[in-house]
Amino acid sequence: MILPLSLTRIQISIALISAALISYQVVLVKVFSIQYWYHFAYLIISLALLGFGASGTFIFLSQKLLKERLPLILFLCPLLFLLSIWTNICLNRVIAFNPLMLVWQSHEIFRFLLLSICIFIPFFFGALSICLSFTAVPDHIHKIYFANLTGSGLGCVLILLTVFHAGPYDIVFAISIIASGASLAGSTSRTRMTIALATMIAIIPLHIFIFRHIPLEMSVFKDLPQAQNLAEAKKEKELFGPLGLVTVLDSPAYHYLPDLSLNCPYALPAQKGLFLDGNTVGAINQYHGNTDSIRYMDYRTNALPYKLLKNPDVLIIGGGSGTEILNARYHSARTVSAVEMNRDIVHLMQSTYRTYSGEIYSARNTHIVVEEGRGYLQKTDRRFDLIQINLSESMGAASAGVYSLNENYLFTTEALMLCLDRLTPGGLISISLWIKYPPRATIKILATAIDALEKRGKENPASSIIMIRSWQTATLIIKNGSFRREDIESTRKFCKSRLFDISYHPGIRADETNVFNRLEEELLYEAAISLLSPQRERFYTMYPFHIRPATDDMPFFSHFFKIQMIRHYTTSFDRALIPFMDWGYMLVWITACILLLLGILFILVPLPLSHHPVRKDGLAYVIVYFGALGMAYMLLEISILQQFIRYLYDPVFSATVVIGSFLVYSGIGSLFAGRAGNTKFPVIVPAVIVIGIMCLIVFTFDWWLQNVLSSLPLWLRMVVCSLIIAPLAIPMGIPFPSGLSELASYRQWTIPWAWSINGFFSVMGGSFAVLIAIEWGFTSVTILATVLYIISAVMFTRLRMRGVKD
């Protein structure tokens, strides 16, 4: 029995497969953040979009064969997508890719390509049914595009609803059910419906008994796999939440307190390792309430602020394992406010490890806030004597430069200015970082602190800074005021008795530095002198790494790469250079180059292979129009996403709200354009004008929006942010389906090729958005996106004129 394939059923199938595709993309980002590092997010997004582009090319070359087989494709492709994602889960355990050796070992390039293909295939199958629907049903392009984008938006909602209670494989299971539903909706016979239903039912026992028990493999270079090699090491607790995988590891050989003095006379207590996505967060210290048992706290660089203050009111940004809360308690802090954005860590410290840690997360004078640090600073009216920012990354990850593309809105000039505003007169900011040689992060935070002090009107920032270091960490102290002579003397005594080196204090001499933990050169002292002198710009230019202050517009604090270093990286086989490499940055460039080559192969090369009788002149307008749209959409979406992180202060909610809102509202825009009837030039131009005006409004009122939203609860901030996106995203959904409709009227055979072009330039837009932002800021990304939309409006007139001629 043959069942009719109505437009409604096509829309349902497209909506469901779109939801599965976007959900799988988000899950892959999280899984690869756990297995490798965060910068794989850009790789996954790019490969997903390349899969979309490749599907268009495939249909372009074989549309005569496929066009009449839309029911078969709608039935088969979701099942192939489902099969490929579960196959990938198994293959990811086999492909032992090591990104840190990509440049030196050729077999790692092969593994990288194999991994990329595994990621690419599911998105190719999923996008194939979407693209073919545009080609097979050209009279309803706007409605199909609406189903495509709305389904994707609902996929973001699915992630938001499940990520709190489900692990990655459980979410993949839900995605599999949705994909089976897409196949069922596209089935036109009872046999196909039976196969789709049987697949949906078979997934349940496979997931329960096999797939959900497959452990997530991590790179052996991450902290957790290395800690598991310790004597009697075992995982005690593991939680997967919206911010990643939280793991607690127990081993009698595990000890972690990186800023501890080498001559500390006191033994460390038993500790348990706390890890997030396999990277060290800290150590949970065993504590029974006796302060004599934690006297080692006085032999840390983080103890210095307490020597300069008496019974301070303390704000700790990054409560983590509770070490700094314990430090504040030992030094008789009057009150302690600890901000920790990971709810799973707070839950563990207040429940499972409450007794073990001495109830430090539940102490009488301790207030725990589940919030992102910058967000709490933005909305609180309290003033503190000491704001302490925890060590925010592991030594291994910091050395490898894998955080080079991470956005960090806590270490920007604007953030430090905000910290200074939240201090009492004479209050202190304390920031600890790893020392990497040659130094990078330590110099960059010093430069950022000086910039913040100057922008707050401090005429002599040199009087407000002290920096000391141990053998592997450095601590920067910034004062809301000027350090007095007795403060400097206290610092000298503190460091001398604990074998810490002073890298800078007001009035320091060169012979006072580099005394205990000797380096070839005391570059931190030299950097401080240069940054506080008229030679600052020259120092920025001459220093081998990028150490200019990070800003909210360029929030990549851990990006230190300069293009001049490439020659040293690629011509040396000395593995000692590995710690100098910013792998996140380099991988994006490598990925962009590979994707550019693949894009040329998939898009430009197939054109001469087409035997379609219609002449091929004028296709340059198709390339420019759909290419400009694809790149502009990605540039603008990523730019707005970065801005809204400062409104929502939660990366998971920010990504979900922004991406989901863009997709749903763009779908509404597509539906509006289709129902308007006249989707020609008069609609495109107003849409582009509205896009430009909204970009101007959103970025002009940035700080006002940030201040207004900071006082609202999270759910209301999410609603307001979504409403702000609506007038921008709705017109962004008009040009693409309007262009396809124009092609359908006179050159229908180019529709899949236009889809492919759009996908390819979306790929490049995802990579270029970050690379442009690193060099010139996200404002530049927005300006470029607006220019590309203007170009697309001009190109649309050319497409229309070409249609009249044809």
Side-chain angles (χ1 to χ4, degrees), residues 404-405 546 554 556 559 561 585 769-778:
S404 59
L405 296 185
H546 179 82
M554 303 170 66
F556 304 97
H559 169 65
F561 187 85
Y585 182 76
V770 180
L771 296 174
I772 293 169
I774 285 176
E775 297 298 330
W776 297 290
F778 280 106

Side-chain angles (χ1 to χ4, degrees), residues 26-176:
V26 175
V27 169
L28 269 186
V29 170
K30 293 304 300 178
V31 168
F32 275 75
S33 294
I34 296 170
Q35 289 185 304
Y36 301 103
W37 286 281
Y38 173 77
H39 55 249
F40 273 87
Y42 301 101
L43 171 66
I44 291 165
I45 292 170
S46 297
L47 288 171
L49 291 170
L50 185 64
F52 275 68
S55 69
T57 301
F58 180 75
I59 294 173
F60 173 70
L61 295 175
S62 53
Q63 56 185 302
K64 288 184 178 180
L65 179 65
L66 296 177
K67 189 174 180 180
E68 302 301 324
R69 291 175 171 81
L70 178 61
L72 176 63
I73 296 299
L74 291 179
F75 159 73
L76 189 59
C77 280
L79 297 181
L80 292 175
F81 165 79
L82 188 157
L83 176 64
S84 61
I85 63 177
W86 285 108
T87 302
N88 279 355
I89 289 176
C90 300
L91 288 177
N92 285 342
R93 295 176 51 81
V94 177
I95 304 172
F97 170 58
N98 178 9
L100 299 182
M101 299 304 294
L102 188 64
V103 173
W104 287 279
Q105 296 183 358
S106 57
H107 66 269
E108 293 298 341
I109 298 177
F110 172 75
R111 289 175 178 172
F112 175 72
L113 290 173
L114 188 60
L115 183 68
S116 299
I117 292 171
C118 289
I119 298 171
F120 164 86
I121 289 175
F123 294 101
F124 172 79
F125 284 132
L128 197 62
S129 57
I130 301 172
C131 181
L132 187 61
S133 299
F134 287 132
T135 304
V137 194
D139 294 336
H140 300 285
I141 285 176
H142 291 87
K143 293 181 179 180
I144 293 174
Y145 192 57
F146 168 75
N148 170 216
L149 294 184
T150 304
S152 298
L154 294 176
C156 290
V157 175
L158 169 68
I159 291 294
L160 184 63
L161 294 177
T162 58
V163 77
F164 290 102
H165 309 288
Y169 295 150
D170 297 319
I171 299 174
V172 172
F173 167 69
I175 292 170
S176 302

Side-chain angles (χ1 to χ4, degrees), residues 48 84 92 276 309 368 400 409 412 439 473 480 530 578 609 657 665 779:
S84 61
N92 285 342
L276 178 63
L309 298 168
I368 305 298
Y409 287 100
T412 65
T473 65
N480 185 20
S530 298
I578 291 178
L609 301 178
V657 169
Y665 290 132
T779 300

Side-chain angles (χ1 to χ4, degrees), residues 5-39:
L5 186 62
S6 64
L7 175 62
T8 300
R9 292 183 62 198
I10 293 174
Q11 286 181 291
I12 292 172
S13 180
I14 294 303
L16 289 175
I17 194 62
S18 298
L21 284 167
I22 194 70
S23 302
Y24 181 58
Q25 181 176 320
V26 175
V27 169
L28 269 186
V29 170
K30 293 304 300 178
V31 168
F32 275 75
S33 294
I34 296 170
Q35 289 185 304
Y36 301 103
W37 286 281
Y38 173 77
H39 55 249

Side-chain angles (χ1 to χ4, degrees), residues 495-516:
C495 291
K496 184 176 181 180
S497 63
R498 291 158 178 79
L499 303 186
F500 294 143
D501 286 284
I502 304 176
S503 295
Y504 180 81
H505 66 61
I508 194 172
R509 301 188 312 272
D511 59 3
E512 296 181 79
T513 66
N514 207 19
V515 177
F516 301 111

